[in-house]
Amino acid sequence: MARSMNLAVLGAQWGDEGKGKIVDLLTPNFDIVARYQGGHNAGHTVYVNGRKFVLRLIPSGMLHPGIICVIGNGVVVDPTALFGEIDELTAAGIDVTGRLVVSDKAHLILPYHRDLDLLSEARRGERKIGTTSRGIGPAYEDKIARRGVRVGDLADPAGLEKNIRDNVTARNRLVHDSVMEVEPVLATLLQQAKRLLPLVRDVSLLLNESMRDGRRVMFEGAQGTLLDIDHGTYPYVTSSNAAIGGVMGVVKAYTTRVGEGPLPTELSGEMGQRLRDSGNEYGAVTGRPRRCGWYDAVAARYGARINGLDVLALTKLDVLDGLEQIDICTAYRSGSRTLTELPSDVAQLAACEPVYESMPGWTTPTKGIRRYEDLPAAAKRYVERLEVVSGVPAAIISTGSEREDTIIRPDVVRQKLGDKLSI
Ligand code: IMP
């Protein structure tokens, strides 16, 4: 029975949908917030009282006192990045002591993973993935190849040394322009172990016992369904499963993507720049400009199908304020065929042309609106059309970056989520 009180919040597009804001907003309904995949390639931005926090590894529930935040076994952890984030939060007056738990089974991102990420991208040349260069892919490669180093391994210096020696030797065979020494890598790790090991717990046990005792867990996804290693636009994907059988899918009122790979509704001209500027669409991790385009309902329907979404949280509606006309992609044209479902072949997807329907925009701003009734009529029509073409109702509509700039539709929450969420 307790299981039904848990909720997964994940990206239903190509990442950057606004998951940080939604997770932060919903956190008071839960006791534990758990990240389960990805690493510090994620950049979950949360604004509280005008102050901006970018959470990469630490779950977005951390800004609420008393909440336990979990970094689960599926996450890849760069200790330097993790400590940097803890220090940043501490400096901002947020006490993480006793509230952050890391799985002993999570794999570590080590300095050679970053080198291999850069090397692999350079060698791919024009066919590069456009990764965040954080070493995410190589760390997952080592995990699958069964030579990875896990957080729990830090407790065994002798075993750790053997493993690091093998891995650094393998790295030196691949990277020709620099030689990495084993000793400094090991010395740093042993130093980091002192700070990391006290955070380590058996996370599956913790979560299971918490759920058994009636505590509620929110699972925070990173990246997005279309970046999922299995269900995304392979090979232009991240190296983990960003999709699960979940419930609330976060989508932006338009579409963005960072890095290479197909984005059927991409707008290269003035309108793309307009969305990029109003939406501040620059990567939270790498600062790269995000590619922007109109809402892609084919991609959204795919996200809904893969995750079995019950509801959407629609973010950044206010970015579209003041546009005369807004387009929605409802299908793709592929040669002489019209496709209503996402093709799994990346080359076919890249060649698809969007089929648009146009809707009138609105002149009264939606920014900061907190009640659905207060939205301009054209904005309501736009939201309602997105619900129809995506096949999922919107329970939450975000109209600004602050927590309070949010419309919650209690009727949709009640009908679709029942007792999973009481707001
Ligand atoms: P990687 O995860 O660094 O290997 O990058 C693989 C692909 O996923 C690239 O296209 C990245 O731009 C994209 N990506 C990874 N993390 C995020 C994210 O949090 N938001 C948006 N795109 C991401």
Side-chain angles (χ1 to χ4, degrees):
M1 203 182 83
R3 277 188 74 83
S4 70
M5 289 161 58
N6 304 320
L7 179 74
V9 174
L10 48 84
Q13 294 164 316
W14 276 279
D16 307 315
E17 297 90 351
K19 296 179 287 296
K21 167 173 174 162
I22 301 297
V23 170
D24 169 73
L25 174 78
L26 301 180
T27 292
N29 290 272
F30 296 88
D31 302 293
I32 298 177
V33 181
R35 274 279 304 271
Y36 55 90
Q37 45 75 230
H40 66 311
N41 50 349
H44 293 180
T45 307
V46 182
Y47 287 87
V48 185
N49 300 326
R51 191 156 182 180
K52 180 179 173 181
F53 296 90
V54 181
L55 297 159
R56 301 189 161 90
L57 268 168
I58 295 180
S60 304
M62 194 43 104
L63 303 184
H64 293 265
I67 299 290
I68 302 289
C69 286
V70 170
I71 296 180
N73 59 275
V75 176
V76 280
V77 178
D78 180 328
T80 309
L82 180 63
F83 298 154
E85 215 171 303
I86 295 174
D87 292 344
E88 244 174 74
L89 287 172
T90 310
I94 292 158
D95 187 12
V96 309
T97 321
R99 300 205 287 127
L100 182 64
V101 171
V102 182
S103 167
D104 53 346
K105 300 192 183 94
H107 278 246
L108 289 172
I109 300 182
L110 296 165
Y112 45 82
H113 291 134
R114 285 192 295 270
D115 295 346
L116 295 174
D117 198 346
L118 291 170
L119 179 75
S120 156
E121 285 285 87
R123 290 200 175 154
R124 286 180 73 103
E126 292 216 320
R127 289 176 53 252
K128 71 177 195 289
I129 306 293
T131 72
T132 58
S133 334
R134 295 295 184 272
I136 306 291
Y140 278 117
E141 276 176 47
D142 278 1
K143 170 178 173 169
I144 303 299
R146 294 162 294 189
R147 58 172 174 253
V149 181
R150 303 198 292 180
V151 170
D153 296 339
L154 294 175
D156 166 25
L160 184 69
E161 178 173 356
K162 270 199 211 111
N163 203 342
I164 296 291
R165 200 166 287 286
D166 287 351
N167 283 310
V168 169
T169 309
R171 177 259 180 219
N172 286 341
R173 263 189 234 120
L174 287 166
V175 180
H176 297 306
D177 54 6
S178 70
V179 174
M180 182 175 272
E181 300 291 340
V182 176
E183 286 66 27
V185 176
L186 198 59
T188 308
L189 267 180
L190 291 173
Q191 197 56 37
Q192 290 173 325
K194 292 186 199 148
R195 195 171 175 192
L196 194 48
L197 286 174
L199 308 178
V200 169
R201 291 278 295 274
D202 183 332
V203 161
S204 65
L205 195 62
L206 170 75
L207 292 182
N208 272 281
E209 287 180 353
S210 303
M211 289 179 208
R212 188 197 57 203
D213 297 344
R215 285 202 283 273
R216 313 181 69 174
V217 183
M218 175 161 48
F219 295 94
E220 176 180 7
Q223 290 81 50
T225 305
L226 279 293
L227 290 172
D228 180 283
I229 184 79
D230 290 310
H231 299 293
T233 52
Y234 192 88
Y236 300 100
V237 293
T238 192
S239 299
S240 65
N241 285 109
I244 59 164
V247 181
M248 180 181 292
V250 185
V251 291
K252 217 173 323 207
Y254 48 98
T255 307
T256 65
R257 171 168 203 162
V258 214
E260 308 302 314
L263 182 65
T265 61
E266 180 163 16
L267 297 164
S268 50
E270 214 173 282
M271 185 55 75
Q273 192 56 41
R274 155 78 168 75
L275 291 176
R276 191 170 305 113
D277 289 342
S278 325
N280 190 23
E281 296 296 353
Y282 294 89
V285 176
T286 55
R288 290 179 292 177
R290 295 183 185 135
R291 299 155 63 196
C292 297
W294 296 121
Y295 190 84
D296 182 341
V298 183
R301 284 199 295 273
Y302 182 72
R305 159 154 62 92
I306 293 299
N307 298 298
L309 295 185
D310 291 317
V311 292
L312 296 179
L314 182 68
T315 61
K316 295 187 126 174
L317 184 66
D318 55 299
V319 171
L320 303 179
D321 285 354
L323 292 179
E324 213 163 283
Q325 178 186 306
I326 303 171
D327 291 347
I328 304 174
C329 163
T330 53
Y332 299 148
R333 197 160 294 120
S334 175
S336 58
R337 290 197 306 147
T338 301
L339 307 180
T340 52
E341 299 296 336
L342 195 89
S344 49
D345 179 70
V346 74
Q348 189 186 359
L349 179 60
C352 282
E353 289 290 330
V355 177
Y356 286 121
E357 66 178 49
S358 299
M359 306 221 31
W362 47 90
T363 42
T364 327
T366 66
K367 188 157 186 63
I369 288 184
R370 296 167 190 189
R371 295 188 330 163
Y372 190 70
E373 311 77 277
D374 295 342
L375 284 178
K380 278 192 224 158
R381 278 196 292 274
Y382 180 66
V383 170
E384 284 157 23
R385 190 64 195 147
L386 291 193
E387 294 180 310
V388 170
V389 294
S390 312
V392 189
I396 294 179
I397 299 158
S398 169
T399 55
S401 43
E402 287 286 329
R403 258 182 212 154
E404 295 74 23
D405 298 338
T406 309
I407 297 168
I408 294 175
R409 293 162 93 192
D411 48 329
V412 179
V413 173
R414 214 172 308 116
Q415 197 193 340
K416 293 289 175 180
L417 297 179
D419 63 358
K420 283 199 176 89
L421 205 59
S422 51
I423 41 178

PDB file of all heavy atoms in Angstrom, residues 14-16 41-43 129-133 136-137 223 227 237-238 258-260 288, ligand 1:
ATOM      1  N   TRP A  14      13.853  16.099 -24.144  1.00  0.00           N
ATOM      2  CA  TRP A  14      15.301  15.900 -24.278  1.00  0.00           C
ATOM      3  C   TRP A  14      16.082  16.482 -23.094  1.00  0.00           C
ATOM      4  O   TRP A  14      17.193  16.969 -23.265  1.00  0.00           O
ATOM      5  CB  TRP A  14      15.793  16.537 -25.570  1.00  0.00           C
ATOM      6  CG  TRP A  14      15.654  15.687 -26.797  1.00  0.00           C
ATOM      7  CD1 TRP A  14      16.502  14.688 -27.205  1.00  0.00           C
ATOM      8  CD2 TRP A  14      14.632  15.749 -27.800  1.00  0.00           C
ATOM      9  NE1 TRP A  14      16.061  14.133 -28.375  1.00  0.00           N
ATOM     10  CE2 TRP A  14      14.926  14.763 -28.772  1.00  0.00           C
ATOM     11  CE3 TRP A  14      13.494  16.539 -27.970  1.00  0.00           C
ATOM     12  CZ2 TRP A  14      14.123  14.562 -29.896  1.00  0.00           C
ATOM     13  CZ3 TRP A  14      12.714  16.332 -29.083  1.00  0.00           C
ATOM     14  CH2 TRP A  14      13.024  15.348 -30.022  1.00  0.00           C
ATOM     15  N   GLY A  15      15.536  16.481 -21.919  1.00  0.00           N
ATOM     16  CA  GLY A  15      16.210  17.102 -20.769  1.00  0.00           C
ATOM     17  C   GLY A  15      15.887  18.582 -20.676  1.00  0.00           C
ATOM     18  O   GLY A  15      15.262  19.151 -21.594  1.00  0.00           O
ATOM     19  N   ASP A  16      16.269  19.206 -19.540  1.00  0.00           N
ATOM     20  CA  ASP A  16      16.065  20.648 -19.305  1.00  0.00           C
ATOM     21  C   ASP A  16      14.598  21.064 -19.302  1.00  0.00           C
ATOM     22  O   ASP A  16      14.271  22.211 -19.589  1.00  0.00           O
ATOM     23  CB  ASP A  16      16.828  21.496 -20.353  1.00  0.00           C
ATOM     24  CG  ASP A  16      18.287  21.101 -20.418  1.00  0.00           C
ATOM     25  OD1 ASP A  16      18.877  20.948 -19.350  1.00  0.00           O
ATOM     26  OD2 ASP A  16      18.823  20.938 -21.525  1.00  0.00           O
ATOM     27  N   ASN A  41      26.150  15.541 -15.199  1.00  0.00           N
ATOM     28  CA  ASN A  41      25.727  16.067 -16.504  1.00  0.00           C
ATOM     29  C   ASN A  41      24.384  16.780 -16.358  1.00  0.00           C
ATOM     30  O   ASN A  41      24.005  17.584 -17.195  1.00  0.00           O
ATOM     31  CB  ASN A  41      25.642  14.952 -17.564  1.00  0.00           C
ATOM     32  CG  ASN A  41      24.836  13.746 -17.111  1.00  0.00           C
ATOM     33  OD1 ASN A  41      24.490  13.611 -15.936  1.00  0.00           O
ATOM     34  ND2 ASN A  41      24.554  12.845 -18.034  1.00  0.00           N
ATOM     35  N   ALA A  42      23.647  16.470 -15.286  1.00  0.00           N
ATOM     36  CA  ALA A  42      22.364  17.121 -15.034  1.00  0.00           C
ATOM     37  C   ALA A  42      22.610  18.492 -14.418  1.00  0.00           C
ATOM     38  O   ALA A  42      23.614  18.707 -13.750  1.00  0.00           O
ATOM     39  CB  ALA A  42      21.540  16.278 -14.078  1.00  0.00           C
ATOM     40  N   GLY A  43      21.702  19.408 -14.657  1.00  0.00           N
ATOM     41  CA  GLY A  43      21.788  20.724 -14.017  1.00  0.00           C
ATOM     42  C   GLY A  43      20.373  21.122 -13.658  1.00  0.00           C
ATOM     43  O   GLY A  43      19.669  21.693 -14.476  1.00  0.00           O
ATOM     44  N   ILE A 129      28.738  13.038 -30.261  1.00  0.00           N
ATOM     45  CA  ILE A 129      27.442  12.968 -29.570  1.00  0.00           C
ATOM     46  C   ILE A 129      27.061  14.344 -29.033  1.00  0.00           C
ATOM     47  O   ILE A 129      25.885  14.653 -28.872  1.00  0.00           O
ATOM     48  CB  ILE A 129      27.523  11.971 -28.368  1.00  0.00           C
ATOM     49  CG1 ILE A 129      28.040  10.585 -28.814  1.00  0.00           C
ATOM     50  CG2 ILE A 129      26.202  11.846 -27.624  1.00  0.00           C
ATOM     51  CD1 ILE A 129      27.129   9.818 -29.718  1.00  0.00           C
ATOM     52  N   GLY A 130      28.080  15.172 -28.740  1.00  0.00           N
ATOM     53  CA  GLY A 130      27.796  16.461 -28.090  1.00  0.00           C
ATOM     54  C   GLY A 130      27.611  16.246 -26.596  1.00  0.00           C
ATOM     55  O   GLY A 130      26.716  16.825 -25.983  1.00  0.00           O
ATOM     56  N   THR A 131      28.453  15.429 -25.987  1.00  0.00           N
ATOM     57  CA  THR A 131      28.290  15.116 -24.560  1.00  0.00           C
ATOM     58  C   THR A 131      28.626  16.336 -23.712  1.00  0.00           C
ATOM     59  O   THR A 131      29.148  17.341 -24.207  1.00  0.00           O
ATOM     60  CB  THR A 131      29.237  13.978 -24.109  1.00  0.00           C
ATOM     61  OG1 THR A 131      30.579  14.470 -24.070  1.00  0.00           O
ATOM     62  CG2 THR A 131      29.164  12.777 -25.026  1.00  0.00           C
ATOM     63  N   THR A 132      28.375  16.209 -22.423  1.00  0.00           N
ATOM     64  CA  THR A 132      28.672  17.304 -21.493  1.00  0.00           C
ATOM     65  C   THR A 132      30.134  17.255 -21.041  1.00  0.00           C
ATOM     66  O   THR A 132      30.534  18.041 -20.179  1.00  0.00           O
ATOM     67  CB  THR A 132      27.756  17.223 -20.254  1.00  0.00           C
ATOM     68  OG1 THR A 132      27.950  15.941 -19.637  1.00  0.00           O
ATOM     69  CG2 THR A 132      26.292  17.370 -20.626  1.00  0.00           C
ATOM     70  N   SER A 133      30.922  16.328 -21.557  1.00  0.00           N
ATOM     71  CA  SER A 133      32.360  16.139 -21.220  1.00  0.00           C
ATOM     72  C   SER A 133      32.595  15.923 -19.728  1.00  0.00           C
ATOM     73  O   SER A 133      33.612  16.344 -19.202  1.00  0.00           O
ATOM     74  CB  SER A 133      33.245  17.312 -21.637  1.00  0.00           C
ATOM     75  OG  SER A 133      32.746  18.020 -22.682  1.00  0.00           O
ATOM     76  N   ILE A 136      30.651  10.942 -18.159  1.00  0.00           N
ATOM     77  CA  ILE A 136      29.480  10.118 -17.828  1.00  0.00           C
ATOM     78  C   ILE A 136      29.512   8.788 -18.602  1.00  0.00           C
ATOM     79  O   ILE A 136      29.432   7.702 -18.013  1.00  0.00           O
ATOM     80  CB  ILE A 136      28.162  10.875 -18.168  1.00  0.00           C
ATOM     81  CG1 ILE A 136      28.123  12.238 -17.490  1.00  0.00           C
ATOM     82  CG2 ILE A 136      26.946  10.017 -17.880  1.00  0.00           C
ATOM     83  CD1 ILE A 136      27.988  12.261 -16.007  1.00  0.00           C
ATOM     84  N   GLY A 137      29.629   8.882 -19.929  1.00  0.00           N
ATOM     85  CA  GLY A 137      29.601   7.676 -20.770  1.00  0.00           C
ATOM     86  C   GLY A 137      30.700   6.690 -20.377  1.00  0.00           C
ATOM     87  O   GLY A 137      30.418   5.518 -20.098  1.00  0.00           O
ATOM     88  N   GLN A 223      18.134  14.104 -17.094  1.00  0.00           N
ATOM     89  CA  GLN A 223      18.041  14.079 -18.555  1.00  0.00           C
ATOM     90  C   GLN A 223      16.574  13.879 -18.974  1.00  0.00           C
ATOM     91  O   GLN A 223      15.707  14.348 -18.268  1.00  0.00           O
ATOM     92  CB  GLN A 223      18.954  13.011 -19.163  1.00  0.00           C
ATOM     93  CG  GLN A 223      20.441  13.328 -19.039  1.00  0.00           C
ATOM     94  CD  GLN A 223      20.999  12.979 -17.679  1.00  0.00           C
ATOM     95  OE1 GLN A 223      20.795  11.879 -17.193  1.00  0.00           O
ATOM     96  NE2 GLN A 223      21.682  13.904 -17.060  1.00  0.00           N
ATOM     97  N   LEU A 227      16.609  11.072 -24.346  1.00  0.00           N
ATOM     98  CA  LEU A 227      18.055  10.891 -24.155  1.00  0.00           C
ATOM     99  C   LEU A 227      18.343   9.541 -23.485  1.00  0.00           C
ATOM    100  O   LEU A 227      19.480   9.238 -23.144  1.00  0.00           O
ATOM    101  CB  LEU A 227      18.642  12.013 -23.291  1.00  0.00           C
ATOM    102  CG  LEU A 227      18.723  13.411 -23.918  1.00  0.00           C
ATOM    103  CD1 LEU A 227      19.144  14.443 -22.866  1.00  0.00           C
ATOM    104  CD2 LEU A 227      19.705  13.442 -25.087  1.00  0.00           C
ATOM    105  N   VAL A 237      22.427  10.045 -27.298  1.00  0.00           N
ATOM    106  CA  VAL A 237      21.731   9.852 -26.031  1.00  0.00           C
ATOM    107  C   VAL A 237      22.740   9.922 -24.898  1.00  0.00           C
ATOM    108  O   VAL A 237      23.946   9.983 -25.133  1.00  0.00           O
ATOM    109  CB  VAL A 237      21.024   8.479 -26.004  1.00  0.00           C
ATOM    110  CG1 VAL A 237      19.885   8.430 -27.005  1.00  0.00           C
ATOM    111  CG2 VAL A 237      22.020   7.342 -26.276  1.00  0.00           C
ATOM    112  N   THR A 238      22.255   9.869 -23.673  1.00  0.00           N
ATOM    113  CA  THR A 238      23.162   9.736 -22.547  1.00  0.00           C
ATOM    114  C   THR A 238      23.337   8.243 -22.269  1.00  0.00           C
ATOM    115  O   THR A 238      22.740   7.408 -22.954  1.00  0.00           O
ATOM    116  CB  THR A 238      22.657  10.532 -21.318  1.00  0.00           C
ATOM    117  OG1 THR A 238      23.714  10.602 -20.360  1.00  0.00           O
ATOM    118  CG2 THR A 238      21.422   9.906 -20.698  1.00  0.00           C
ATOM    119  N   VAL A 258      20.325  20.016 -26.056  1.00  0.00           N
ATOM    120  CA  VAL A 258      21.736  20.451 -26.079  1.00  0.00           C
ATOM    121  C   VAL A 258      22.544  19.305 -26.656  1.00  0.00           C
ATOM    122  O   VAL A 258      22.308  18.164 -26.300  1.00  0.00           O
ATOM    123  CB  VAL A 258      22.357  20.671 -24.667  1.00  0.00           C
ATOM    124  CG1 VAL A 258      23.355  21.792 -24.687  1.00  0.00           C
ATOM    125  CG2 VAL A 258      21.340  20.810 -23.594  1.00  0.00           C
ATOM    126  N   GLY A 259      23.522  19.607 -27.464  1.00  0.00           N
ATOM    127  CA  GLY A 259      24.339  18.539 -28.044  1.00  0.00           C
ATOM    128  C   GLY A 259      23.812  18.158 -29.416  1.00  0.00           C
ATOM    129  O   GLY A 259      22.867  18.780 -29.938  1.00  0.00           O
ATOM    130  N   GLU A 260      24.452  17.161 -29.989  1.00  0.00           N
ATOM    131  CA  GLU A 260      24.123  16.771 -31.367  1.00  0.00           C
ATOM    132  C   GLU A 260      22.891  15.867 -31.391  1.00  0.00           C
ATOM    133  O   GLU A 260      22.390  15.460 -30.371  1.00  0.00           O
ATOM    134  CB  GLU A 260      25.315  16.050 -31.998  1.00  0.00           C
ATOM    135  CG  GLU A 260      26.632  16.795 -31.912  1.00  0.00           C
ATOM    136  CD  GLU A 260      26.574  18.168 -32.557  1.00  0.00           C
ATOM    137  OE1 GLU A 260      26.036  18.267 -33.673  1.00  0.00           O
ATOM    138  OE2 GLU A 260      27.048  19.131 -31.945  1.00  0.00           O
ATOM    139  N   ARG A 288      26.486  25.811 -22.927  1.00  0.00           N
ATOM    140  CA  ARG A 288      26.264  25.809 -24.381  1.00  0.00           C
ATOM    141  C   ARG A 288      24.865  26.334 -24.700  1.00  0.00           C
ATOM    142  O   ARG A 288      23.924  26.051 -23.965  1.00  0.00           O
ATOM    143  CB  ARG A 288      26.364  24.384 -24.939  1.00  0.00           C
ATOM    144  CG  ARG A 288      27.751  23.824 -24.927  1.00  0.00           C
ATOM    145  CD  ARG A 288      27.758  22.401 -25.473  1.00  0.00           C
ATOM    146  NE  ARG A 288      27.060  21.472 -24.586  1.00  0.00           N
ATOM    147  CZ  ARG A 288      26.888  20.193 -24.869  1.00  0.00           C
ATOM    148  NH1 ARG A 288      27.292  19.682 -26.010  1.00  0.00           N
ATOM    149  NH2 ARG A 288      26.282  19.392 -24.015  1.00  0.00           N
TER     150      ARG A 288
HETATM  151  P1  IMP B   1      26.472  12.874 -21.660  1.00  0.00           P
HETATM  152  O1  IMP B   1      25.331  12.546 -20.750  1.00  0.00           O
HETATM  153  O2  IMP B   1      27.412  13.907 -21.085  1.00  0.00           O
HETATM  154  O3  IMP B   1      27.206  11.640 -22.148  1.00  0.00           O
HETATM  155  O4  IMP B   1      25.873  13.552 -22.977  1.00  0.00           O
HETATM  156  C1  IMP B   1      25.062  12.828 -23.885  1.00  0.00           C
HETATM  157  C2  IMP B   1      23.921  13.682 -24.422  1.00  0.00           C
HETATM  158  O5  IMP B   1      23.001  13.959 -23.377  1.00  0.00           O
HETATM  159  C3  IMP B   1      24.348  15.046 -24.968  1.00  0.00           C
HETATM  160  O6  IMP B   1      23.484  15.368 -26.055  1.00  0.00           O
HETATM  161  C4  IMP B   1      24.092  16.003 -23.809  1.00  0.00           C
HETATM  162  O7  IMP B   1      23.914  17.328 -24.248  1.00  0.00           O
HETATM  163  C5  IMP B   1      22.818  15.377 -23.245  1.00  0.00           C
HETATM  164  N1  IMP B   1      22.604  15.661 -21.819  1.00  0.00           N
HETATM  165  C6  IMP B   1      23.188  15.053 -20.761  1.00  0.00           C
HETATM  166  N2  IMP B   1      22.695  15.537 -19.604  1.00  0.00           N
HETATM  167  C7  IMP B   1      21.781  16.462 -19.927  1.00  0.00           C
HETATM  168  C8  IMP B   1      20.883  17.288 -19.156  1.00  0.00           C
HETATM  169  O8  IMP B   1      20.824  17.239 -17.924  1.00  0.00           O
HETATM  170  N3  IMP B   1      20.093  18.128 -19.857  1.00  0.00           N
HETATM  171  C9  IMP B   1      20.103  18.158 -21.212  1.00  0.00           C
HETATM  172  N4  IMP B   1      20.887  17.393 -21.984  1.00  0.00           N
HETATM  173  C10 IMP B   1      21.717  16.555 -21.339  1.00  0.00           C
END
